[in-house]
Amino acid sequence: MSAPATQAQEPASREDRGAPAYDEAWFAARAQAGIQRLKAYDPGHDLVALRRRFGEANLAELGSNENPYGPSPQARAAILDSLHALHRYPDPLGADLKRALAAKHGVDVAQVQLGNGSHELLMQLAQVFAGPGDEVVFSRYGFAVFALATQAAGATMRIVEALPRDAAMPCGHDLDAIAAAIGPATRLVYVANPNNPTGTWFGREAMIAFLDRVPADVLVVMDEAYAEMAEAPDYASALSLLGRYPNLAITRTFSKAYGLAGLRVGYLLAQPGLVQVMDRLRESFNVNGPALAACVAALADEAHLDWACARNAEQRAALAAALQQRGLRVFPSQTNFVLVEFGPRTAQIEAALVERGVILRPMAGYGLADCLRISVGSPDENRRLLAALDQVLT
Ligand SMILES: *Cc1c(COP(=O)(O)O)cnc(C)c1O
């Protein structure tokens, strides 16, 4: 017991001698240049504390675009089944899951890479393909991880102005401007379709016109985290274009439509050579055993996926209509969230909703301080949101 006490006293005596504080600033000054400028990912509210305060059942958690219905029951069963092997390392190749994904998407197994969430893959793409002196291009209001990944790699961000607020796709990607921003230093372009937090999307013709303009040695990363939920006739996945554009990489996730955010699994589809180079950086057991088993089972249960996506589309339309009835502007969306304009009182409205157990995502960090991003919840959650909103807006 005496040793810890001595250690605890030590910093005070050092401070007396004018030693540094060893605080964030001190360590940041010793970090590599990209990290020095980096701001950590903002995960939103402290949900663990809010659950403790309100009780989980009294909270409408609509801030993180999770699937309110949860995963396929078969995924739960597969997790329980996998528990006998917790003392074993997982398959470092994730071979069963890669085979299932390859079969589902009609690609070769060698074209699939697994990540601990697609967040990990987005980070690794920049780390592998861009560094100091290189540029990474992406849109304003593009997914927050694009900026994190670029800076963590020490590369330079080239942020392209988005479409205007009064456009048909408000704040959406301006693909022409993105293509025009690509220069000799550009190594990587991040595009999200549909995009978070705007919910905006684009279709096949626009995508082809864009990809035709991207130089063959510049990598295009198409983040399709919400692809399963997009059903508009003018939306298209880039999947069918993988063979035509070898510089294209697509990321997807089990966190959203599949309802497995807690397991952290994403995947990448690209050329086998790209996957091989990405593999050099991958932590050997980056996806855990229960997660691998659950995702294989989730892929096999297409009925559950279709059911969850249909519920989402129906609830999204109902929620958007109800918000519009209350005089709010709702951005178009092909995802499981809507971006909504709340005007100059946005911050107060958001705080008042938290006090009523309704958690939305503030958008000030994205430069959209007058908007909130609302995940489409279950019918009950959406009702509670609207009831709380009616109290707060009057
Ligand atoms: C949620 C999200 C992801 C990543 O999710 P993971 O849980 O890391 O797989 C990636 N891109 C976008 C646009 C997202 O909204």
Side-chain angles (χ1 to χ4, degrees), residues 117-119 122 143 192 196 223 225-226 253 255-256 264-266:
S118 55
H119 189 141
L122 293 168
F143 184 45
N196 171 16
D223 178 344
Y226 300 93
T253 181
S255 299
K256 308 283 161 61
R264 314 301 304 123
V265 186

Side-chain angles (χ1 to χ4, degrees), residues 89-92 116 282-288:
Y89 279 107
D91 175 8
N116 197 270
R282 187 177 63 87
E283 188 262 312
S284 5
F285 303 100
N286 62 329
V287 183
N288 70 73

Side-chain angles (χ1 to χ4, degrees), residues 41 64-65 115-122 142-146 192-197 223-226 251-256 260-261 264-267 337 366 373:
Y41 178 77
S64 296
N65 303 342
N116 197 270
S118 55
H119 189 141
E120 180 183 61
L121 294 165
L122 293 168
F143 184 45
V145 171
F146 303 162
N193 189 33
N195 181 50
N196 171 16
D223 178 344
E224 295 191 349
Y226 300 93
T251 59
R252 291 203 172 187
T253 181
F254 284 92
S255 299
K256 308 283 161 61
L260 288 167
R264 314 301 304 123
V265 186
Y267 59 97
F337 61 83
Y366 273 98
R373 194 192 66 196

Side-chain angles (χ1 to χ4, degrees), residues 11 23 128 189 193 260 334:
D23 58 2
V128 169
V189 182
N193 189 33
L260 288 167
Q334 282 293 301

